[in-house]
Amino acid sequence: MDRDEASRPLLGSENGELEHSSYLDKVKNGKLYLATFAAILGPLSFGFVLGYSSPAIPDLIRITDPHMRLNPEEASWFGSVVTIGAALGGLLGGWVVDKLGRKLTLMFCAMPYIFGFTIIIAAQNHWMLYLGRILTGLASGVTSLVVPLYISEMAHERVRGTMGSCVQLMVVIGIMGAYIAGLFLGWRWLAVTSSVPPALMLVLMCFMPETPHFLLSQGRRAEAQEALRFLRGPDASPEEECARIEGAMQDQGGSLGWSDLKDPVIYKPMGIGIVMMLFQQLTGINAIMFYAESIFEKAHFKNSDVASVIVAAIQVVFTAVAALLMDRAGRKILLIVSGVAMTISTAMFGVYFWLSSPNHSSGQVAMETPGPVSLAPQPDLAWLALVSMGLFITGFALGWGPTPWLVMSEIFPTRGRGLGSSMCVLTNWGSAFIVTKTFHNLMDVLTSAGTFWLFSGMCALNVFFTIFFVPETKGKSLEQIQAHFKGARHH
């Protein structure tokens, strides 16, 4: 795919666009917002899972019960085993979402959240803690796949960007919620609190519709029209939208087969989605968060728990800004701005660690292992670390945090949405686990400065990838986006 192809307009005839615009003018969004709220309780639960380990691990390290007390290696696994469960959830979710539908999959994934936190609450040994984390990770993997699909198939193009960006917004709100609750609650009561959002989601989703795309793919036209009446309000006739979705499905053909992987409509969006998920993890987000507390301590923020809340609050604010801008500025511009900001900030982090190196005065970068030595900068360098971290978190939240999940939910045709999304989620969580577990080894081999300069290079690459390969989906219906990839085969 070339640059012209990535930016080519995805619009149909002028008359068709005018008719569709007239239809959207009649739409009432109130119940769409309600359905979106019910769905994004899933990402809120997912955020609580990610945030849970930060306040819980110190409690579990200090606990007096020898059967429950974690050593540093066990604490590391308690934090990271979630990513293994999430990768499995991504694989499972891709199959379930096409068999049971988006709504039922979302309802069923509430159960491992609730069961997982219940096992943690009742835990008597390490294995119960690990099992609870794996189950909540499994639910998180399914959630990260199904919720973006559910929202993208419900929402129309005027609000789809904002609605889709709420997925990542609720994740970071959940993380912040876990951090704040952890200031006041012990690890068992924190698990009780974390089980409330999935329980609420399970109840509310009982009253929400299945997506029109899935219902039409199953030949359930009457139910699809009823779902559209619920989502679009009484003034907008569902017939035109049903016909448009059905027309796109007829162009796509039937169910997905192995031969379809050679079709540009399948392999091009799959390639874009997988590479975006890989780049999201290669930005260094986990490394920055790993150093966050130490950086705050060096800047004289003595309470590292409060520092974690501050970091999470910055993420929430700028992810909310991204949600507001997504349908105005577009996906590509936010990704580019985000990538540039992260390129600069990770390069600055590299400079920070290089200047902080014990051997800097001799003109060499020490091959230090990560730890107190490499994080003992001169006092006047604390400002550089704080500025770098603030710029990075702001940049990530504006673009590469929410946008890959949104684009993943938009670019696949209906018949390939389960498989394509599954591959994207598996890539994201698999690479998150690998990056997290190999981070110390990278620091040993490349030094702190070299590792962050490597991340800076990855961020620069994701800017070029965005410019040349990622299509702009702002203001386009899902059918228009699919037509873009279908038309691409002729160029």
Side-chain angles (χ1 to χ4, degrees), residues 11-56:
L11 303 177
S13 67
E14 187 176 343
N15 287 339
E17 288 303 310
L18 288 173
E19 289 177 8
H20 188 55
S21 179
S22 175
Y23 166 75
L24 292 177
D25 289 339
K26 299 175 184 176
V27 166
K28 300 289 189 294
N29 291 323
K31 290 185 177 177
L32 170 63
Y33 296 154
L34 178 62
T36 300
F37 172 75
I40 59 177
L41 288 171
L44 181 66
S45 309
F46 168 20
F48 269 97
V49 171
L50 293 181
Y52 177 80
S53 59
S54 183

Side-chain angles (χ1 to χ4, degrees), residues 352-490:
Y352 164 75
F353 284 114
W354 181 61
L355 294 176
S356 303
S357 169
N359 289 356
H360 169 59
S361 59
S362 64
Q364 296 178 341
V365 179
M367 296 295 288
E368 80 277 10
T369 54
V373 174
S374 64
L375 281 173
Q378 303 164 20
D380 60 348
L381 290 178
W383 67 269
L384 180 58
L386 285 173
V387 170
S388 301
M389 185 172 65
L391 179 60
F392 181 90
I393 293 171
T394 299
F396 184 82
L398 279 175
W400 278 91
T403 311
W405 298 106
L406 172 61
V407 172
M408 176 197 78
S409 71
E410 295 177 318
I411 57 179
F412 292 108
T414 303
R415 64 193 169 107
R417 210 160 274 158
L419 174 64
S421 299
S422 179
M423 291 298 100
C424 289
V425 171
L426 178 63
T427 300
N428 187 281
W429 286 106
S431 56
F433 177 76
I434 292 169
V435 169
T436 303
K437 277 300 179 185
T438 61
F439 180 58
H440 284 292
N441 303 96
L442 274 176
M443 300 280 279
D444 289 338
V445 174
L446 300 177
T447 75
S448 299
T451 300
F452 279 87
W453 284 332
L454 175 64
F455 288 141
S456 182
M458 292 295 105
C459 292
L461 279 178
N462 75 36
V463 173
F464 285 104
F465 177 78
T466 301
I467 292 171
F468 290 104
F469 295 106
V470 178
E472 179 55 76
T473 58
K474 179 188 75 168
K476 312 299 183 282
S477 68
L478 297 181
E479 292 69 42
Q480 288 170 328
I481 297 167
Q482 292 157 30
H484 163 72
F485 287 110
K486 183 178 181 181
R489 72 179 71 182
H490 304 301

